[in-house]
Amino acid sequence: MPVISMANSKGGSGKSTSALVLACELARGADVVLIDADPRRPLSAWSTLAPPPERLDVVSSAGERAIQDEIDEAASRVPFVVVDLEGTASRLASYAMAESDLVLIPTQEQYQDAQAAVDTLAELKRAGRAARREIPSAILLTRTRAAVKPRTARHVAEQLRGLPGTRVLNVELVERDAFSALFASGGSLHSLDPRDVRGIEKAIENAEAYAGEVVKILREVV
Ligand SMILES: Nc1ncnc2c1ncn2[C@@H]1O[C@H](COP(=O)(O)OP(=O)(O)OP(=O)(O)O)[C@@H](O)[C@H]1O
Ligand SMILES: [Mg+2]
């Protein structure tokens, strides 16, 4: 069933956070496999901090030789597979993209990040040519301001939205403590302690809207 990969060759663009938030949200209603394909294993580390949601299974990838089989195996047993990739272009990333129904490109609203998103789209196109199909993709703006956007951010977002043939999610993943706190505490947004973390409710609303839009796109493309 649908495979969603997070790709952006720029480090720190929000891939692991976007993967985790999406996987936890989907796991509220379905079985999900989250494949940690980053050799630094951020999501496997997350899964050891606290019990992950019941319907979420975290799998550590054994690397570029195994990733295609790992994705196939996961897709044959659960309704959603989410793959977190490392922050560099690699053969592993190209293989994972070629196996995906949707590639999300998490991008911060800064010039260098927008350039990296464009490079990632080009990489995706090459992976699509090798696989002889067009791989659906969408840019997800991450770590955005909840309030008024600064000028640069507005400009970058407009440029990305104006790229021909490129989809940008309407929902953005806003910069919130709750999202970064997940990596310190483990568990999901729903298990965070409101005495420790501010704005959990807003983060949950954001996560629901984000996952909702991803599911809507999957219905169109799968
Ligand atoms: N929406 C958000 N709100 C708050 N903090 C965020 C958000 N998204 C990402 N961060 C923080 O930004 C940093 C980088 O995010 P993340 O690890 O998700 O990026 P990445 O693209 O996976 O990085 P890498 O390329 O190194 O794997 C982390 O410290 C994370 O906690
Ligand atoms: Mg990461």
Side-chain angles (χ1 to χ4, degrees):
M1 295 300 282
V3 177
I4 308 137
S5 292
M6 303 291 164
N8 188 330
S9 49
K10 181 144 191 309
S13 61
K15 294 176 290 294
S16 301
T17 307
S18 310
L20 181 57
V21 169
L22 178 64
C24 287
E25 192 55 44
L26 294 172
R28 290 170 57 74
D31 291 336
V32 179
V33 171
L34 176 58
I35 300 182
D36 184 359
D38 181 340
R40 285 179 309 151
R41 307 254 178 273
L43 297 173
S44 308
W46 164 83
S47 71
T48 64
L49 297 173
E54 215 171 291
R55 302 185 76 174
L56 177 63
D57 185 13
V58 180
V59 171
S60 283
S61 172
E64 70 178 42
R65 293 188 187 175
I67 187 72
Q68 289 156 315
D69 288 338
E70 290 162 350
I71 291 175
D72 276 357
E73 190 279 325
S76 70
R77 79 182 154 96
V78 295
F80 293 104
V81 181
V82 179
V83 185
D84 181 36
L85 296 167
E86 66 182 316
T88 47
S90 64
R91 204 142 48 171
L92 188 154
S94 300
Y95 290 164
M97 288 192 227
E99 296 289 321
S100 298
D101 296 290
L102 176 65
V103 174
L104 287 181
I105 305 175
T107 306
Q108 293 187 51
E109 290 171 314
Q110 288 162 13
Y111 287 113
Q112 284 166 307
D113 294 71
Q115 186 52 54
V118 171
D119 294 346
T120 306
L121 284 166
E123 190 59 45
L124 185 63
K125 203 157 195 178
R126 285 190 286 275
R129 280 182 75 166
R132 297 192 175 280
R133 69 183 178 102
E134 196 172 322
I135 303 166
S137 64
I139 291 174
L140 166 68
L141 297 172
T142 58
R143 304 191 72 173
T144 64
R145 290 260 191 100
V148 181
K149 278 188 201 292
R151 238 173 96 150
T152 312
R154 242 182 13 239
H155 188 228
V156 168
E158 274 166 20
Q159 276 191 330
L160 290 172
R161 288 189 192 281
L163 287 174
T166 306
R167 190 195 296 254
V168 180
L169 259 64
N170 294 319
V171 177
E172 304 173 353
L173 207 63
V174 174
E175 167 94 28
R176 290 202 181 277
D177 289 345
F179 293 131
S180 49
L182 293 174
F183 287 91
S185 62
S188 73
L189 292 170
H190 293 267
S191 58
L192 290 176
D193 187 338
R195 285 169 302 186
D196 299 335
V197 186
R198 287 173 303 132
I200 298 173
E201 285 307 317
K202 293 265 187 218
I204 290 173
E205 270 174 38
N206 193 176
E208 285 174 359
Y210 158 48
E213 190 173 0
V214 170
V215 169
K216 190 167 147 255
I217 294 174
L218 284 172
R219 285 209 189 97
E220 284 171 33
V221 299
V222 174

